[in-house]
Amino acid sequence: MTAVNRLRPRRSCLAVPGSNPRFLEKAQGLPADQVFLDLEDACAPLAKEGARHHIVDALNNGDWTGKTRVVRVNDWTTHWTYRDVITVVEGAGPNLDCIMLPKVQDAQQVVALDLLLTQIEKTMGFEVGKIGIEAQIENAKGLVNIDDIAGASPRLETLIFGPADFMASINMKTLVVGQQPPGYGADAYHYILMRILMAARTHDLQAIDGPFLQIRDVDAYREVAGRAAALGFDGKWVLHPGQVDAANEVFSPSQDDYDHAELILDAYDWCTSEAGGRKGSAMLGDEMIDEASRKMALVIAGKGRAAGMERTSKFEAPEA
């Protein structure tokens, strides 16, 4: 199986209805890290077959430069899934990065998609294993089985929280997707988000927060996105162009944090070198840094580099 870099930038994951050619064209010009062309909830049942062909055409003939290209198929409990996968992958496999599988409830559903993708790739002469899988966790059963799901396939790239269906599956008392339910004083989503995050990190996957449906309230979107970003999530869905910039900002480090992280990495490399005295720790200004500091800095620096940030400071070795 082909070795593929699964840690792509996903600060903003833009949902685009596969049945709307105008939206498919417009999405190509938006600054989202990832675009997923949707065959599931955004497509009416009678529009799904036509949407498959719209998506194949958009993937093959559109300009998706700089974007991760994903198609969300229907879940395995429907009769549409296999035809979604076959039509899209056979038609546009070389121009497709991932298949998103919604409502994943157990590991076997991921295994089934992996097997189908492998058969298509071999039949069509595509690179085996190049197309990744994104698993969407949308109900209680999926969350309970999340460790097995996260380890089900080397194709897996992300675990995604699907809040609307999840809230319905546990009978949460609210109709506002992504906002806190009334009558509960703490964060009702904290356990769910942390459970997804722990499973993702255990298997070196990315963790993505789902949509916020109040699309015109960008301040509220920032607040909800900030909660996931603070925990360590890699990105969040966007349903409207107005949310894209907010997601990119929230899930990128600040310039000061990015510069500081790069300085820590440079300083630690220097202090552990022959020229720096082969020390296990050193001072960076008033701050002591060591191996643990380096690991933390790698996370922030990695996010900044993925976001295309540039340094505004330079490390200078202290004089002897």
Side-chain angles (χ1 to χ4, degrees), residues 18-304:
S19 56
N20 190 316
R22 183 172 66 86
F23 285 3
L24 290 169
E25 182 176 0
K26 182 177 181 180
Q28 297 169 40
L30 297 174
D33 287 344
Q34 171 174 301
V35 173
F36 72 89
L37 314 181
D38 195 16
L39 286 168
E40 200 214 13
D41 288 348
C43 285
L46 294 178
K48 291 184 188 294
E49 182 176 355
R52 294 170 185 146
H53 300 288
H54 288 314
I55 286 173
V56 168
D57 180 66
L59 288 171
N60 288 337
N61 299 310
D63 182 1
W64 304 96
T65 303
K67 294 177 175 58
T68 297
R69 302 155 298 178
V70 179
V71 173
R72 181 167 72 161
V73 298
N74 289 276
D75 77 273
W76 277 122
T77 67
T78 74
H79 64 281
W80 295 301
T81 317
Y82 84 101
R83 182 56 62 191
D84 289 344
V85 177
I86 291 171
T87 300
V88 169
V89 178
E90 286 190 353
N95 298 313
L96 177 66
D97 295 310
C98 297
I99 292 289
M100 183 187 300
L101 184 63
K103 299 176 177 63
V104 177
Q105 300 187 61
D106 59 50
Q108 291 308 307
Q109 293 182 331
V110 176
V111 172
L113 178 57
D114 186 326
L115 289 171
L116 181 54
L117 287 171
T118 298
Q119 290 182 350
I120 295 170
E121 289 167 338
K122 289 181 176 179
T123 299
M124 299 298 294
F126 300 154
E127 292 183 50
V128 176
K130 175 180 175 291
I131 297 172
I133 294 174
E134 300 190 350
Q136 197 172 3
I137 307 301
E138 300 190 72
N139 59 32
K141 186 175 181 180
L143 191 66
V144 169
N145 291 328
I146 195 166
D147 291 315
D148 290 338
I149 291 169
S153 168
R155 293 181 187 267
L156 264 174
E157 300 194 12
T158 71
L159 297 177
I160 305 165
F161 176 40
D165 283 282
F166 198 101
M167 291 159 66
S169 84
I170 63 172
N171 297 336
M172 187 176 283
K173 189 181 176 182
T174 180
L175 288 173
V176 183
V177 176
Q179 286 192 347
Q180 298 297 326
Y184 187 72
D187 185 346
Y189 304 101
H190 180 75
Y191 170 76
I192 303 167
L193 292 174
M194 285 299 291
R195 191 70 189 84
I196 291 172
L197 183 63
M198 292 304 103
R201 295 298 185 250
T202 297
H203 293 274
D204 295 322
L205 309 177
Q206 291 183 321
I208 305 299
D209 194 15
F212 183 73
L213 271 60
Q214 308 299 312
I215 59 174
R216 302 196 184 282
D217 192 343
V218 178
D219 289 339
Y221 177 88
R222 287 178 184 275
E223 181 180 349
V224 174
R227 175 189 68 203
L231 291 177
F233 272 61
D234 299 286
K236 183 172 177 63
W237 279 16
V238 293
L239 302 182
H240 187 272
Q243 295 177 332
V244 174
D245 288 343
N248 288 342
E249 179 184 333
V250 169
F251 289 96
S252 297
S254 68
Q255 185 67 51
D256 287 345
D257 285 346
Y258 173 63
D259 284 337
H260 188 54
E262 294 284 15
L263 287 172
I264 288 174
L265 294 176
D266 288 347
Y268 186 77
D269 284 346
W270 179 82
C271 79
T272 56
S273 69
E274 189 73 31
R278 295 178 294 178
K279 299 187 292 287
S281 62
M283 297 300 294
L284 179 62
D286 295 329
E287 176 186 11
M288 189 186 81
I289 61 171
D290 56 14
E291 172 63 12
S293 308
R294 183 190 71 83
K295 291 176 181 176
M296 294 171 66
L298 275 174
V299 173
I300 303 301
K303 288 181 180 291

